Amino acid sequence: MLSERMQKALNDQIRIEAESSQIYLAMASWSEVKGLEGIAQFMYGQSDEERMHMLKMFKYVNERGGKAEVSELNKPADQYGSIKEMFETLFKHEVFVSQSINELVHISLEEKDYATHNFLQWYVAEQIEEEAQARTILDKINLIGDDKGGLYLFDNDIKQLTVVSSVAPGV
Ligand code: OFO
């Protein structure tokens, strides 16, 4: 059974995961309208992944005798000054999510909820992967700079990065 405090913290995280999905969906639209097909495909994939993160936690809360909440979501930014700015936003957002997961892990230990602690390890590993991926992409974008040909190749390359590796079992 989840404690009240643990349940609230998990529901807060469910909202953050849902908002992450919306943020990346807005990025997909911005890119698609600009003709950046590969980047749009990548962002649609990221958005789906975040929904899966949300659902995995949602089901866990109910499984443990809690009640998963569907919260109101903030409207994400839908304009970016540049591709670089958009990926910087993505990276900063992932760092924020990692901090939030760390806080959840901390609460699970304080609540002596070892089942939730164990459940959260998947998210800890996932965040390492997502931060590393965002950093790699930013490095590439910095290398490309204003080179249009480089950008064209990058838009093509990023299709390969559309992550399938982290699809959680049982969702
Ligand atoms: Fe849910 O991993 Fe990104 O935010």
Side-chain angles (χ1 to χ4, degrees):
M1 187 77 185
L2 294 170
S3 69
E4 277 298 313
R5 182 179 178 220
M6 194 74 252
Q7 182 175 190
K8 178 172 183 321
L10 287 166
N11 271 319
D12 285 347
Q13 188 64 35
I14 285 171
R15 181 181 44 75
I16 289 173
E17 299 294 339
E19 283 182 344
S20 302
S21 180
Q22 296 289 85
I23 291 169
Y24 299 149
L25 193 59
M27 289 180 176
S29 183
W30 185 85
S31 312
E32 193 161 51
V33 166
K34 289 219 156 1
L36 299 162
E37 193 199 312
I39 296 176
Q41 185 183 308
F42 172 80
M43 291 299 180
Y44 279 123
Q46 290 298 113
S47 176
D48 283 350
E49 266 214 42
E50 297 300 347
R51 178 170 161 82
M52 184 271 288
H53 297 173
M54 183 276 287
L55 272 179
K56 186 179 167 76
M57 198 169 281
F58 197 93
K59 290 179 179 172
Y60 176 77
V61 168
N62 285 346
E63 207 176 273
R64 292 287 315 282
K67 164 89 169 59
E69 301 288 344
V70 178
S71 304
E72 192 172 350
L73 305 179
N74 286 321
K75 185 182 190 305
D78 56 6
Q79 292 298 327
Y80 294 95
S82 63
I83 294 170
K84 184 175 168 184
E85 187 189 308
M86 181 175 70
F87 278 101
E88 273 167 356
T89 305
L90 182 147
F91 177 65
K92 281 190 202 137
H93 183 71
E94 288 304 330
V95 171
F96 158 75
V97 173
S98 298
Q99 284 163 352
S100 177
I101 296 285
N102 282 348
E103 187 53 31
L104 264 181
V105 172
H106 181 71
I107 293 172
S108 71
L109 286 177
E110 281 188 350
E111 295 294 299
K112 295 194 168 60
D113 185 343
Y114 300 111
T116 300
H117 183 267
N118 186 45
F119 170 77
L120 290 171
Q121 296 314 304
W122 183 87
Y123 288 84
V124 171
E126 180 68 13
Q127 283 312 120
I128 294 173
E129 217 181 274
E130 295 215 333
E131 274 190 41
Q133 186 185 54
R135 217 176 281 120
T136 306
I137 292 173
L138 268 183
D139 286 348
K140 284 194 184 178
I141 289 174
N142 283 328
L143 270 178
I144 294 166
D146 291 330
D147 177 14
K148 286 243 155 41
L151 179 62
Y152 178 80
L153 290 176
F154 171 77
D155 187 51
N156 225 2
D157 271 11
I158 199 170
K159 290 179 189 161
Q160 262 61 277
L161 267 182
T162 307
V163 200
V164 280
S165 63
S166 50
V167 172
V171 173

